[in-house]
């Protein structure tokens, strides 16, 4: 009954979100069912401000290129570059054009301006250097990792000189050819050079690990964090390129799983530094398997980044999924009344946060009918997933930005 649901629906703010959880999580994951809507990003920004001011959170992580995000982090912590430059260079997926993302970066810089480094806010990306059309060259991550080690350990310990990496990498265009996504035969990911690079990347990461006591004394914490990030990215990218070259039916599943595994590795590294709010698509943060239909493939299934992180962190990982009523400018009109979104849409206010277990009980048995989206870019919330979700943020209407 709508009245039963109204009794468990609360205004959306950080205190209401935290009351749903048994303790402050190390990773607080806020999902969204569609990308590119500033209404949802403005809400994210406001919740992050409240988490900073009331709950002690200091890091926000987005579904954006983890290496590009270093440009944003340098700006918000030290003012490196200009806001325009950072928005152009610091985001992937063209998300630097978002007014809400720009406002987030501007606010973080202002917050940090007169604060000591220990109290500053940090910005991070959890995604690899990946786009739907393919993957970046591993050059940046490999050479940066090599450079960090070369500056701090004996040259004899390095598995190769820097120019050997350049020789094996060749031109970046070999790695970034967009035709590779639909034609595995064009990929260099399983060439002799790529296989040697995978071994060298493994050796460089191993050297980073085995020299940890020395590097802790020799290099600042941020330098060590970046070096580990470069190592994860280099090995992840080379693995991704290898699967791009795979002609087997498992190719797309492996690619999707590799991407989420890279996200999970980045999230776990951020969690080791302190509590983090991560904002990404529901499908990357849910505890369930992710699914997708692509081209002529049968249904693809793989474990999401959220499922992988939750398996490691247990109740120190919390996931709140966002559900919404309408995106009329994309043809998503009022939801049918027998769907989960339809049951929430009849409530009188525009935004709510609800305990997922209580919501599931209020909805009753059987589960509401699944909503069918007329817009490929929006994924309705699966009612069956409420049992493995901590909370639901409901936004009634998403107007054109």
């Amino acid at each position: 009954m709508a009245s039963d649901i109204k009794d468990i629906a609360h205004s959306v703010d950080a205190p209401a979100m935290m009351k749903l959880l048994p303790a402050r999580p190390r990773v607080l994951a806020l999902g969204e069912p569609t990308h590119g809507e500033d209404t949802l990003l403005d809400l994210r920004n406001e919740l992050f401000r409240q988490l900073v001011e009331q709950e002690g959170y200091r890091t926000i992580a987005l579904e954006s290129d983890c290496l590009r995000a270093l440009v944003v982090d340098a700006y918000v912590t030290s003012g490196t570059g200009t806001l325009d430059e950072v928005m152009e260079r610091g985001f992937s997926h063209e998300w630097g054009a978002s007014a809400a993302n720009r406002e987030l970066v501007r606010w973080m810089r202002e917050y940090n301006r007169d604060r000591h480094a220990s109290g500053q806010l940090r910005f991070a990306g959890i995604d690899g250097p990946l786009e739907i059309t393919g993957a970046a060259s591993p050059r940046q991550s490999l050479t940066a990792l090599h450079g960090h080690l070369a500056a701090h350990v004996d040259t004899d310990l390095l598995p190769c000189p820097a120019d050997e990496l350049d020789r094996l990498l060749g031109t970046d265009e070999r790695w970034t050819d967009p035709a590779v996504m639909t034609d595995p035969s064009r990929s260099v990911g399983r060439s002799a050079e790529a296989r040697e690079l995978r071994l060298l990347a493994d050796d460089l990461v191993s050297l980073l690990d085995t020299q940890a006591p020395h590097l802790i004394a020799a290099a600042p914490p941020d330098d060590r964090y970046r070096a580990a990030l470069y190592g994860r990215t280099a090995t992840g990218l080379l693995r991704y390129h290898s699967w791009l070259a795979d002609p087997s039916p498992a190719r797309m599943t492996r690619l999707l799983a590799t991407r989420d595994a890279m996200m999970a590795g980045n999230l776990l590294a951020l969690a080791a530094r302190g509590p983090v709010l991560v904002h990404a698509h529901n499908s990357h943060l849910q505890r369930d398997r992710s699914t997708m239909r692509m081209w002529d493939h049968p249904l693809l299934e793989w474990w999401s980044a959220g499922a992988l992180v939750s398996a490691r962190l247990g109740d120190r990982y919390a996931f709140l999924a966002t559900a919404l009523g309408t995106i009329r400018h994309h043809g998503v009109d009022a939801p049918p009344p027998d769907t989960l979104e339809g049951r929430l849409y009849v409530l009188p206010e525009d935004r709510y946060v609800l305990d997922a277990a209580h919501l599931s009980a209020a909805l009753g048995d059987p589960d509401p009918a699944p909503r069918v989206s007329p817009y490929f870019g929006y994924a309705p919330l699966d009612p069956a997933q409420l049992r493995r979700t901590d909370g639901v943020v409901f936004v009634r209407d998403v107007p054109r930005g």
Side-chain angles (χ1 to χ4, degrees):
M1 299 289 291
S3 58
D4 297 329
I5 294 175
K6 188 176 185 304
D7 292 341
I8 60 170
H10 307 281
S11 297
V12 182
D13 57 30
M17 287 170 50
M18 300 304 282
K19 284 179 183 177
L20 304 181
L21 311 173
R24 185 178 74 168
R26 201 70 173 176
V27 175
L28 177 55
L30 177 63
E32 61 176 1
T34 187
H35 286 318
E37 299 295 340
D38 274 0
T39 296
L40 302 182
L41 303 188
D42 288 336
L43 177 60
R44 172 207 67 192
N45 291 354
E46 179 56 32
L47 290 172
F48 181 55
R49 291 188 195 101
Q50 295 173 11
L51 289 167
V52 167
E53 294 163 358
Q54 302 173 38
E55 300 292 339
Y57 279 71
R58 290 292 179 268
T59 299
I60 188 167
L62 306 186
E63 186 186 330
S64 188
D65 182 336
C66 58
L67 299 186
R68 288 194 182 199
L70 296 173
V71 174
V72 185
D73 189 60
Y75 175 76
V76 300
T77 55
S78 62
T80 302
T82 68
L83 182 56
D84 286 344
E85 292 168 345
V86 167
M87 299 311 297
E88 181 179 352
R89 297 173 47 230
F91 290 84
S92 57
H93 313 316
E94 301 181 355
W95 289 339
S98 161
N101 284 339
R102 185 183 184 90
E103 174 56 22
L104 173 68
V105 175
R106 186 206 63 77
W107 178 78
M108 292 178 70
R109 177 60 196 142
E110 287 305 309
Y111 184 96
N112 285 343
R113 191 175 298 277
D114 298 317
R115 280 180 166 79
H116 187 270
S118 61
Q120 287 189 329
L121 307 182
R122 306 301 297 262
F123 182 94
I126 62 166
D127 208 350
L130 308 171
E131 297 282 357
I132 192 63
T133 53
S137 162
R139 181 184 308 279
Q140 179 184 357
S141 49
L142 271 175
T143 56
L145 174 59
H146 188 282
H148 173 81
L149 289 166
H152 297 292
V153 305
D154 293 340
T155 302
D156 291 346
L157 294 176
L158 295 170
C160 68
D163 59 3
E164 178 66 3
L165 292 179
D166 283 332
R167 182 188 71 79
L168 292 169
L169 285 162
T171 64
D172 287 345
E173 290 74 18
R174 299 172 64 229
W175 300 88
T176 58
D177 178 5
V180 165
M181 184 52 74
T182 54
D183 184 357
S185 68
R186 298 185 61 133
S187 173
V188 297
R190 293 190 175 178
S191 63
E193 294 88 350
R195 285 194 287 269
E196 189 168 351
L197 284 167
R198 290 187 75 178
L199 291 173
L200 290 172
D202 184 71
D203 286 341
L204 288 168
V205 171
S206 177
L207 185 58
L208 194 66
D209 292 338
T210 58
Q211 290 292 308
H214 167 64
L215 293 171
I216 288 171
D222 278 357
D223 286 0
R224 300 198 308 273
Y225 175 84
R226 283 192 294 270
L229 172 63
Y230 293 136
R232 291 192 304 275
T233 306
T235 54
L237 271 177
L238 286 164
R239 186 177 301 117
Y240 193 90
H241 279 288
S242 176
W243 288 118
L244 279 171
D246 177 32
S248 81
R251 177 179 186 256
M252 287 308 305
T253 299
R254 292 286 196 176
L255 290 172
L256 294 165
T258 297
R259 181 188 179 196
D260 269 78
M262 292 174 72
M263 290 185 180
N266 289 332
L267 261 179
L268 288 167
L270 289 167
R273 296 204 300 183
V276 53
L277 172 69
V278 57
H279 187 252
H281 199 278
N282 287 332
S283 63
H284 290 303
L285 300 179
Q286 65 194 30
R287 291 188 176 92
D288 294 78
R289 282 180 183 266
S290 295
T291 61
M292 178 184 290
R293 292 192 184 277
M294 181 177 287
W295 304 319
D296 58 348
H297 292 275
L299 183 69
L300 302 169
E301 295 183 287
W302 72 99
W303 288 110
S304 70
L308 298 175
V309 174
S310 180
R312 291 282 298 274
L313 296 185
D315 61 8
R316 293 177 297 163
Y317 178 80
F319 169 51
L320 283 82
T322 298
L324 54 85
T326 72
I327 327 174
R328 297 188 192 279
H329 54 284
H330 284 307
V332 181
D333 292 321
D338 61 343
T339 63
L340 184 155
E341 289 87 352
R343 298 284 295 276
L344 296 173
Y345 194 72
V346 300
L347 299 175
E349 303 299 331
D350 291 335
R351 297 175 179 178
Y352 290 100
V353 62
L354 307 95
D355 179 277
H358 292 163
L359 175 58
S360 182
L363 290 169
D365 230 0
D367 288 334
R371 187 182 189 185
V372 177
S373 172
Y375 168 48
F376 75 93
Y378 158 61
L381 186 59
D382 182 353
Q385 294 185 1
L386 288 177
R387 299 170 184 83
R388 292 169 295 281
T389 301
D390 297 295
V392 174
V393 174
F394 180 71
V395 177
R396 180 181 172 86
D397 298 296
V398 177
R400 186 187 295 274

